Amino acid sequence: MVIDQIDGTALGGRLSGSGRVSWIGDQRWSARFQAQNVDIATLRPDLPGRISTVATVEGRGFEPTSPWTARLASLSGTVRGRALTGRGEIAHGNGNYDLRGVRIANGGSHVDIDGRWGSTVDLRWNADVRSLSLLHPDLSGELVSSGRARGNATRPELDADVRARQLRLGSTIVDSLQGEIDLDLTDARDSRVDLRATSVDLGFVLLDTARFQLQGRTAEHELSLHFSSTRDDSRRLPGFDARLAARGEFEVGTRRWHGLLDEATLAYPDGRATLLQAAAIEVGPDQLRAAPICLQTDDARLCVEGERIAEPASMRVLFSAQDWPLERLLRSVLGWRELDGKLQAAGWITQQGTQPWVGAMTLYVDDPTLSIPRNQFRSERVRLGRARFDLTAEPEELRATLAMNVVEGTHLDGAVVVTRDPEQEFAGYPLRGEVRAKSTALTALPLFVPEIDRSSGILDAALAVSGTLGEPRFDGEFH
């Protein structure tokens, strides 16, 4: 069958082509395509521009292993006001792809690829991309990389370097990234990876520096992650320095890593937490499993363990705390420095398939104290009574209860229900509940209001809770 000419309009431009195909003999076939003034914004609205291209493809046979060759004779046009050019050739046979002189350039950006990828690999690349948003709308920043991959496709050798600036992936922003990668998955020699980043904004925390290192072979290697952050008043977070170190084995065939977490250190200005004992970890495409990981600081313990399985989809997490410093936890999570005590906690979370996660948690605060500023130079620590907080998560709602002895004779109780609405964000879940406070002796009022010399009496208060998790509302009366 021979097609002498076919013409049409699509994507705001003109398309034309011709070709021929034979079903006898060696089943030769070929085609020629031409596109003129095609508007690529119809495919990617974030990439305004028009392009024109001429390409040919020819081959023999119709099996997946049949040989064919595609040639990009010319690529021209503009993208985001910058010139776009391209050329190259890709030949296929028996599952192997040979790339010859493949080059795409847009203004000052370019990507060059040469070599083979298939049962055997010998691929070289050189890239200088001034705007990663050209590749995907969720990416931005600059990337420079060059390297070579060679050997067997299942166990290749990789030698590459990478540099990036103002890198953004979703909500994560990295000011700069540099790295050297020297991998030999054949284990003929040691592999080495060294990645260094500065100013890593994860949204909830800003890391000043982060460094990942790997040394060894697939059967036995060591890896470490070191990151630090200075005090961030805007996020109400203290400064810290952290280091994780592990050793293990990577199974290339199953893409599964398993090993031991040997070190976990988290240092704050006023103390540090360290790993109590080595913990087994397993990471693979179908599951993630961690044995109990326990941090200790003095006599306090904070432990977590869990697993996630891809098929059938499920997740479970267990956690506990013993005498953990409450001030350190609240300062890390919420930026609070006024409340302290010893936290006792136990809880679990689980999820099956696409069902909402469920779980339960109980918290006790022993020996709680509240720091009350008296002036700009002095604060007074006030000892409070024991507190208990319970949280239960069910598919339809979250239920929380609070019972606290504020000071002698003063008690605080509350119960709140959160309705889970799959149509709403977490912060938009509606609230309902009540908080009651009762004091049979207001003698402690001068502790909180130093302008009051002495006090006595009875207090009874009831507050109705409404609104949403993101914007709670309290209405009630004091007597």
Side-chain angles (χ1 to χ4, degrees):
M1 182 175 70
V2 177
I3 300 176
D4 288 327
Q5 185 73 22
I6 184 171
D7 289 284
T9 58
L11 305 176
R14 181 180 177 183
L15 303 178
S16 62
S18 61
R20 63 188 300 149
V21 60
S22 173
W23 290 275
I24 61 174
D26 57 2
Q27 299 179 323
R28 290 182 178 271
W29 54 270
S30 63
R32 183 179 186 273
F33 304 96
Q34 184 173 0
Q36 294 178 316
N37 207 31
V38 170
D39 184 6
I40 61 173
T42 57
L43 301 175
R44 284 274 304 272
D46 60 308
L47 293 181
R50 290 184 175 271
I51 64 172
S52 299
T53 184
V54 176
T56 62
V57 59
E58 59 185 14
R60 300 190 309 273
F62 306 101
E63 299 296 328
T65 58
S66 297
W68 53 262
T69 301
R71 297 181 180 89
L72 180 62
S74 69
L75 174 65
S76 61
T78 60
V79 175
R80 291 181 176 171
R82 294 184 289 271
L84 177 70
T85 60
R87 65 175 187 274
E89 177 180 299
I90 301 176
H92 169 266
N94 293 321
N96 294 308
Y97 296 86
D98 291 304
L99 292 81
R100 307 182 184 114
V102 176
R103 178 181 175 87
I104 305 294
N106 177 228
S109 300
H110 68 84
V111 177
D112 296 273
I113 306 176
D114 272 286
R116 164 170 287 204
W117 183 268
S119 57
T120 60
V121 177
D122 188 4
L123 195 67
R124 298 167 300 281
W125 73 89
N126 189 306
D128 185 349
V129 183
R130 305 296 175 85
S131 177
L132 288 171
S133 60
L134 293 170
L135 306 179
H136 195 279
D138 290 338
L139 287 172
S140 68
E142 302 177 13
L143 174 68
V144 177
S145 178
S146 62
R148 182 181 182 184
R150 59 188 183 276
N152 185 283
T154 57
R155 288 180 174 267
E157 297 180 56
L158 179 65
D159 185 8
D161 63 81
V162 60
R163 300 190 307 276
R165 294 179 62 254
Q166 297 298 316
L167 182 64
R168 179 183 63 83
L169 176 59
S171 60
T172 300
I173 302 174
V174 181
D175 185 66
S176 70
L177 172 68
Q178 292 186 347
E180 296 82 36
I181 302 172
D182 183 9
L183 286 178
D184 180 6
L185 297 185
T186 68
D187 272 359
R189 56 184 174 82
D190 283 356
S191 296
R192 185 180 66 86
V193 176
D194 190 357
L195 300 176
R196 305 170 301 280
T198 61
S199 188
V200 182
D201 191 344
L202 300 176
F204 62 93
V205 64
L206 175 64
L207 302 179
D208 299 310
T209 61
R211 185 173 189 177
F212 172 80
Q213 294 177 289
L214 180 147
Q215 181 79 33
R217 309 193 180 194
T218 59
E220 185 179 1
H221 55 263
E222 298 178 350
L223 52 89
S224 64
L225 177 63
H226 181 204
F227 51 94
S228 62
S229 175
T230 56
R231 177 173 172 174
D232 189 344
D233 291 331
S234 63
R235 291 178 172 87
R236 305 182 68 184
L237 293 176
F240 64 86
D241 188 85
R243 174 179 165 80
L244 305 175
R247 53 188 167 90
E249 176 186 359
F250 178 68
E251 300 174 0
V252 178
T254 60
R255 294 181 296 163
R256 187 184 308 277
W257 185 92
H258 57 87
L260 290 176
L261 178 65
D262 288 324
E263 179 185 351
T265 303
L266 187 61
Y268 288 96
D270 62 344
R272 59 193 289 118
T274 58
L275 188 67
L276 181 63
Q277 61 186 13
I281 297 178
E282 184 176 345
V283 181
D286 56 353
Q287 70 177 10
L288 168 64
R289 180 177 290 115
I293 299 174
C294 295
L295 296 178
Q296 64 175 353
T297 174
D298 298 326
D299 295 329
R301 303 285 187 273
L302 180 64
C303 299
V304 62
E305 64 176 294
E307 67 176 0
R308 185 177 185 89
I309 300 175
E311 190 62 39
S314 63
M315 176 271 292
R316 70 173 182 88
V317 177
L318 304 176
F319 56 91
S320 64
Q322 176 184 342
D323 292 335
W324 195 260
L326 182 61
E327 180 186 18
R328 183 173 298 168
L329 181 64
L330 293 178
R331 186 175 55 186
S332 302
V333 178
L334 301 173
W336 297 353
R337 299 180 175 87
E338 295 79 16
L339 189 60
D340 196 7
K342 295 180 179 180
L343 178 66
Q344 321 293 335
W348 59 272
I349 299 173
T350 186
Q351 185 177 26
Q352 300 291 331
T354 59
Q355 297 297 314
W357 60 270
V358 296
M361 175 178 66
T362 297
L363 302 179
Y364 287 96
V365 181
D366 292 332
D367 302 324
T369 60
L370 181 65
S371 178
I372 302 176
R374 295 309 186 190
N375 52 51
Q376 66 181 93
F377 305 106
R378 185 176 67 90
S379 295
E380 182 178 350
R381 284 277 181 181
V382 177
R383 186 173 296 277
L384 305 178
R386 198 184 196 208
R388 172 172 175 164
F389 176 79
D390 292 278
L391 174 65
T392 302
E394 297 180 349
E396 295 81 16
E397 61 185 22
L398 309 176
R399 298 193 306 273
T401 60
L402 172 67
M404 181 178 183
N405 291 314
V406 182
V407 291
E408 184 179 355
T410 301
H411 196 74
L412 181 68
D413 294 285
V416 176
V417 176
V418 181
T419 303
R420 305 177 79 165
D421 184 352
E423 302 297 325
Q424 297 282 345
E425 296 289 340
F426 188 74
Y429 287 176
L431 292 172
R432 71 179 189 276
E434 184 181 44
V435 177
R436 299 192 65 91
K438 187 175 183 65
S439 178
T440 58
L442 288 178
T443 55
L445 193 58
L447 294 175
F448 303 96
V449 186
E451 289 79 8
I452 298 178
D453 180 66
R454 62 179 63 87
S455 64
S456 63
I458 298 174
L459 172 69
D460 192 2
L463 297 176
V465 183
S466 59
T468 64
L469 275 175
E471 296 183 358
R473 178 183 175 89
F474 301 92
D475 297 286
E477 295 181 345
F478 290 86
H479 297 281

